[in-house]
Amino acid sequence: MIRFLQVNIGVGRAAQDLMVHTAREHCADVVLVSEQYRNLGEDVGWYSDVSGRAAIFLAKDIAIDEIGPADTGFRWIKIKGIRFYSVYCSPNISLDEYNEFLSTLEDSVRGADGPVLVGGDFNAKRPEWGSQISDIRGDTLADLSFSLDLQVCNVGDHPTFTRGGSESFIDITFVSRSLWSKVNNWRVLEEESMSLHWYIIFEISLNTSLPVQPTPKGWNWRKLDRERLLMFLETRTVSDFGDTNSTEVLPNALDAYLAAACNHSMPNKSYHGRKNPGIQGTYPNGTQQSLEDNGRSFPLDAQC
């Protein structure tokens, strides 16, 4: 098992010191950090991105398979065959810059030769991870997760960010579909972080083997290549895919034609990691409930 702590510490010195203490108190192996106050150095297990706003901190001595390059807005390391990404994206960048950031992240994730975990502050809103509303950034991020077949781990109704009377669900944890059944006890901690963000804690069990559900079929409309679509429509007809003179087989020919057009101009997508409102965790009043979802059990008080 690998235990994770995830938090945006808001560039606060005291918040960073407290984060290190909290990680050890909760026996965390890996900490996904956003907006760190300072970088501690790779010699002590601290791996930062170029901008100094996303980092992975190894709170315990744990073997590393591979260390990824320092990109802008994210950094990854590979442990026990899994790539772990820590991510931060500022709310102040333009939509074009946001799309460029996501494209760079997508290229990196697609280059992984195994499952991935991507966690951090995306400053994006969608109901899949708890928000009551959607924004453009959230729509784009959701499309990306569809394309990469990443599942949302966020559950429950506790916000991950609070400021006065305002609250948001902007700190998100995604995992590859093959890891979905192995993520246990994802929850927001009711503990002081000295930041506007709450701690998130969860575990990945590496000794379980559960069946993987079939992947839904579809296409990633965000990646539509209009030139390839136009070329297909100009060079192919429905009659290429079946008899168009028979009313009995025409629908099948039309379906095959449209599917071929989509295959020619867009990559496939798959996604079924929507937020499950039936899963509950730790809430602001301190209430804890047993977590179960499709046969998965979540121990609330796992030991180190």
Side-chain angles (χ1 to χ4, degrees), residues 142-262:
D143 284 345
L144 176 62
S145 67
F146 299 165
S147 172
L148 295 174
D149 196 15
L150 297 178
Q151 317 301 296
V152 179
C153 297
N154 296 49
V155 295
D157 298 321
H158 194 309
T160 66
F161 171 91
T162 56
R163 179 169 54 194
S166 174
E167 60 183 38
S168 298
F169 300 76
I170 54 178
D171 302 279
I172 314 164
T173 311
F174 296 100
V175 293
S176 296
R177 182 166 52 92
S178 60
L179 286 181
W180 171 239
S181 62
K182 300 182 180 182
V183 177
N184 297 324
N185 204 14
W186 189 103
R187 64 202 190 274
V188 178
L189 290 181
E190 187 196 5
E191 292 188 15
E192 177 61 58
S193 67
M194 303 192 77
S195 166
L196 297 175
H197 296 254
W198 296 81
Y199 291 119
I200 294 169
I201 194 167
F202 58 94
E203 298 135 11
I204 290 183
S205 298
L206 301 179
N207 59 349
T208 59
S209 180
L210 297 177
V212 177
Q213 297 180 6
T215 304
K217 296 181 179 180
W219 294 272
N220 178 13
W221 296 97
R222 191 174 69 87
K223 292 290 186 177
L224 173 63
D225 187 326
R226 297 181 183 278
E227 291 186 1
R228 287 180 60 84
L229 176 60
L230 182 60
M231 181 182 299
F232 180 91
L233 296 177
E234 289 178 341
T235 57
R236 306 297 298 273
T237 65
V238 178
S239 60
D240 295 332
F241 296 85
D243 185 0
T244 59
N245 296 318
S246 170
T247 57
E248 294 182 357
V249 298
L250 177 58
N252 293 333
L254 182 57
D255 285 346
Y257 175 70
L258 294 176
C262 291

Side-chain angles (χ1 to χ4, degrees), residues 124-131 138 141-142 152 154 169 172 174 275:
K125 301 175 182 178
R126 279 277 291 202
E128 283 89 338
W129 45 87
S131 296
L141 180 59
V152 179
N154 296 49
F169 300 76
I172 314 164
F174 296 100
K275 177 176 177 287

Side-chain angles (χ1 to χ4, degrees), residues 68-100:
D71 284 289
T72 300
F74 65 90
R75 186 73 186 270
W76 64 265
I77 61 174
K78 186 177 181 181
I79 297 175
K80 297 185 182 300
I82 306 170
R83 271 197 195 184
F84 304 123
Y85 285 79
S86 182
V87 175
Y88 175 73
C89 190
S90 169
N92 300 318
I93 63 175
S94 68
L95 185 58
D96 286 342
E97 291 172 316
Y98 183 72
N99 289 332
E100 182 178 352

Side-chain angles (χ1 to χ4, degrees), residues 59-74:
K60 290 184 180 179
D61 186 11
I62 185 170
I64 300 175
D65 299 339
E66 186 179 357
I67 301 172
D71 284 289
T72 300
F74 65 90

